[in-house]
Amino acid sequence: MAQSDTVTRILDTAEVLFAERGFAETSLRNITSKARVNLAAVNYHFGSKKALIQAVFARYLDPFSQRFHGALDELEARYEGRDIPLEVLLETMATTVLTVPAERNSLKVFMRLLGLAYSQAQGHLRRYIQQQYGDVFSRFTELVRRATPDLPDAERFWRLHFMLGTVIFTLSGLDALRDIAEKDYHQHVSVRDLVRRLRPVVVAAMNAPLPDEKDIEHHADTVAH
Amino acid sequence: MAQSDTVTRILDTAEVLFAERGFAETSLRNITSKARVNLAAVNYHFGSKKALIQAVFARYLDPFSQRFHGALDELEARYEGRDIPLEVLLETMATTVLTVPAERNSLKVFMRLLGLAYSQAQGHLRRYIQQQYGDVFSRFTELVRRATPDLPDAERFWRLHFMLGTVIFTLSGLDALRDIAEKDYHQHVSVRDLVRRLRPVVVAAMNAPLPDEKDIEHHADTVAH
DNA sequence: GTTTGTTTAAAACATCCGTTTTTTATGGCC
DNA sequence: GGCCATAAAAAACGGATGTTTTAAACAAAC
């Protein structure tokens, strides 16, 4: 069992360090020394640093993808072809996200990694995630589409990403926010508590009135990109 | 004018490269060679790479802080002590954010930098921004407090950060999202267009009904942090 | 015209990086 | 025992990084 021990110790250490400092700021020497493993072990077992990063993600996203597919199967069976309400879809996604890392007690790490996958350059990562787990997301968005038939496609697309930003930003920066919150309001905030607060906000945001068309040409477009 | 030319050329180049790839992934040699400036110039004029990063931020945040203070002064004068409506406050912040980089045609860069400041490790950056520009933010949140008297303090705190996440996440990851959006919906998305879409969503989110108290103890808290 | 202070240029420095190679240890199999 | 594939450990490699040092150019002041 020497191998699997080394491999998982590398993964356990790497995911924490990556989540704390990002990929470029975390060297293989950081990882291997903290994991009390030889430097060459990463290249031996994973091939390269890139592959290590992908392996860290796979360990979260493989079970997530699998469970989420299962949960959606169950949902579609229960509703027998009828549209699944938006609240139910969101709730299902939330509980699935919460379930996966719960087994490893590291939701914070999971969310922080997701945030990095978006914000960080790391082109290879986005591509990897896209082609590896894009189908689950597509399936979900299609169900959301049926649940919100009055929303224009583009509007729904953007609002989904708005909410993705809300959740990832909040949960990935949880520690910093929690510090401020506890200092200012003297109350402890659990993840479940946060999800409870997120629920009505996300639902209200998705159901917000459509933007005013007149706003389009309010100003000359002095802001190029 | 040789000095100021070198300095601004470094800043102009650095902010673009930082925004594109992040701080760690951008070397001083990248910057100086692209700016056609000697490698040692950065350390000579700024002292260190850290100081360069902070200078890049200061060039955006100093005018922003100044203008935002001015805009709030104006608003408080206009409302003569009466509470300023939430929509007006949000609108003021949005226009101020849009105004500052418009002069340099680089809102995208500005937003991306803000996103990096949050997501990236770079402890020194968050500390620098906090102590340098914390007061403007405090002033703003106090006005928001008066505008939403029915919202519990903790709830308002979290919702403000939820929306901060929405905006920063969306605008800092704009390029990637824009690619997907244009591929799927064949429409170009301008920043102004995005702000128009964000407005009703943010307002609806802030005014969402309070979370259901009963939800607190729905599940055993198996999820630690 | 020399001197002085400031900016640029070039080179060198020490350090850290990801990866590869070489060597040593380990444990199952004939 | 000897054999062999697998894993771990140690050492080295080539390259890139931030920074510092040394030398040259330049303009202003006297």
Side-chain angles (χ1 to χ4, degrees):
Chain A
M1 290 300 107
Q3 177 212 0
S4 113
D5 191 53
T6 299
V7 168
T8 63
R9 213 156 62 226
I10 289 175
L11 286 172
D12 288 344
T13 310
E15 71 175 25
V16 171
L17 291 181
F18 285 155
E20 280 176 357
R21 330 183 196 171
F23 305 115
E25 294 87 345
T26 304
S27 70
L28 295 183
R29 284 171 175 83
N30 288 156
I31 298 170
T32 52
S33 69
K34 184 159 189 183
R36 282 175 306 135
V37 150
N38 189 271
L39 168 62
V42 169
N43 285 280
Y44 178 78
H45 287 287
F46 297 92
S48 68
K49 187 180 180 182
K50 274 187 185 178
L52 207 214
I53 295 176
Q54 296 182 356
V56 166
F57 273 84
R59 203 163 60 139
Y60 279 102
L61 290 181
D62 282 345
F64 169 78
S65 163
Q66 183 184 325
R67 269 159 221 252
F68 198 37
H69 266 308
L72 292 182
D73 288 344
E74 202 175 307
L75 228 47
E76 285 188 317
R78 177 158 8 122
Y79 280 85
E80 297 170 331
R82 298 190 312 276
D83 292 345
I84 306 169
L86 178 64
E87 286 82 353
V88 176
L89 286 171
L90 295 175
E91 199 66 36
T92 302
M93 175 163 225
T95 55
T96 308
V97 168
L98 290 178
T99 304
V100 172
E103 300 153 1
R104 200 135 16 92
N105 260 10
S106 50
L107 175 67
K108 185 190 68 180
V109 170
F110 184 28
M111 285 297 132
R112 189 101 176 85
L113 290 175
L114 281 186
L116 285 178
Y118 261 89
S119 69
Q120 207 93 342
Q122 298 286 8
H124 75 97
L125 230 194
R126 225 196 313 262
R127 262 179 278 121
Y128 171 78
I129 292 180
Q130 176 84 16
Q131 73 176 44
Q132 206 81 4
Y133 309 99
D135 56 334
V136 206
F137 194 71
S138 300
R139 185 179 176 191
F140 178 73
T141 54
E142 171 59 21
L143 290 174
V144 170
R145 193 185 65 75
R146 294 197 205 140
T148 56
D150 296 336
L151 217 50
D153 284 351
E155 197 64 34
R156 179 174 37 244
F157 168 85
W158 284 110
R159 291 190 179 181
L160 269 178
H161 279 93
F162 292 164
M163 294 305 99
L164 202 62
T166 302
V167 174
I168 290 182
F169 181 87
T170 303
L171 296 184
S172 75
L174 192 77
D175 285 355
L177 291 176
R178 185 142 48 186
D179 282 351
I180 308 174
E182 287 179 7
K183 182 163 62 68
D184 291 5
Y185 307 109
H186 309 93
Q187 57 156 21
H188 180 74
V189 200
S190 71
V191 171
R192 280 233 123 74
D193 190 47
L194 221 51
V195 172
R196 183 180 63 90
R197 292 182 194 276
L198 275 167
R199 193 189 335 252
V201 170
V202 170
V203 171
M206 291 298 293
N207 291 323
L210 291 181
D212 197 343
E213 290 292 341
K214 290 177 302 179
D215 288 343
I216 294 183
E217 297 293 340
H218 251 175
H219 308 81
D221 56 331
T222 51
V223 180
H225 77 281
Chain B
M1 291 300 106
Q3 176 213 359
S4 113
D5 191 54
T6 299
V7 169
T8 62
R9 215 157 61 226
I10 290 174
L11 286 172
D12 288 345
T13 311
E15 72 174 25
V16 172
L17 291 181
F18 284 154
E20 280 176 358
R21 329 183 198 172
F23 305 115
E25 294 88 345
T26 304
S27 70
L28 294 185
R29 285 170 175 82
N30 288 157
I31 298 171
T32 53
S33 70
K34 183 160 188 183
R36 282 174 307 134
V37 149
N38 189 270
L39 168 62
V42 169
N43 284 280
Y44 176 78
H45 287 287
F46 297 93
S48 68
K49 187 180 180 181
K50 273 187 187 177
L52 206 214
I53 295 175
Q54 295 182 356
V56 166
F57 273 84
R59 203 161 61 136
Y60 279 102
L61 290 182
D62 281 345
F64 168 77
S65 163
Q66 184 185 322
R67 269 158 219 254
F68 198 36
H69 266 306
L72 293 182
D73 288 343
E74 202 174 307
L75 228 48
E76 286 189 317
R78 179 162 1 126
Y79 280 85
E80 298 170 330
R82 300 190 311 276
D83 291 345
I84 306 169
L86 177 65
E87 286 83 353
V88 175
L89 286 172
L90 295 175
E91 199 65 35
T92 302
M93 174 163 227
T95 56
T96 308
V97 169
L98 289 177
T99 303
V100 172
E103 300 153 2
R104 201 136 15 93
N105 261 10
S106 50
L107 176 66
K108 185 189 70 181
V109 170
F110 184 29
M111 284 299 129
R112 189 98 177 87
L113 290 175
L114 280 186
L116 285 177
Y118 260 88
S119 68
Q120 207 92 347
Q122 298 287 4
H124 74 96
L125 230 194
R126 227 198 309 265
R127 264 179 276 122
Y128 171 78
I129 292 181
Q130 175 86 14
Q131 72 178 40
Q132 205 82 2
Y133 309 98
D135 56 334
V136 207
F137 194 70
S138 301
R139 185 179 175 191
F140 178 73
T141 54
E142 171 58 21
L143 290 174
V144 170
R145 194 185 63 76
R146 294 197 205 140
T148 55
D150 295 337
L151 217 52
D153 283 352
E155 196 65 32
R156 179 174 37 246
F157 169 86
W158 284 109
R159 291 189 179 182
L160 268 178
H161 279 91
F162 291 164
M163 293 305 100
L164 202 63
T166 303
V167 174
I168 290 183
F169 182 86
T170 303
L171 295 183
S172 77
L174 192 79
D175 285 355
L177 291 176
R178 186 140 50 183
D179 282 352
I180 309 174
E182 288 179 7
K183 182 163 61 67
D184 289 7
Y185 306 110
H186 309 92
Q187 56 156 24
H188 180 74
V189 201
S190 70
V191 172
R192 281 232 120 76
D193 189 49
L194 221 52
V195 171
R196 182 179 64 89
R197 291 182 195 276
L198 276 168
R199 194 189 335 251
V201 170
V202 171
V203 171
M206 290 299 293
N207 291 325
L210 292 181
D212 197 344
E213 291 292 340
K214 290 177 303 181
D215 287 344
I216 293 183
E217 296 294 341
H218 252 175
H219 308 80
D221 56 329
T222 51
V223 179
H225 80 281

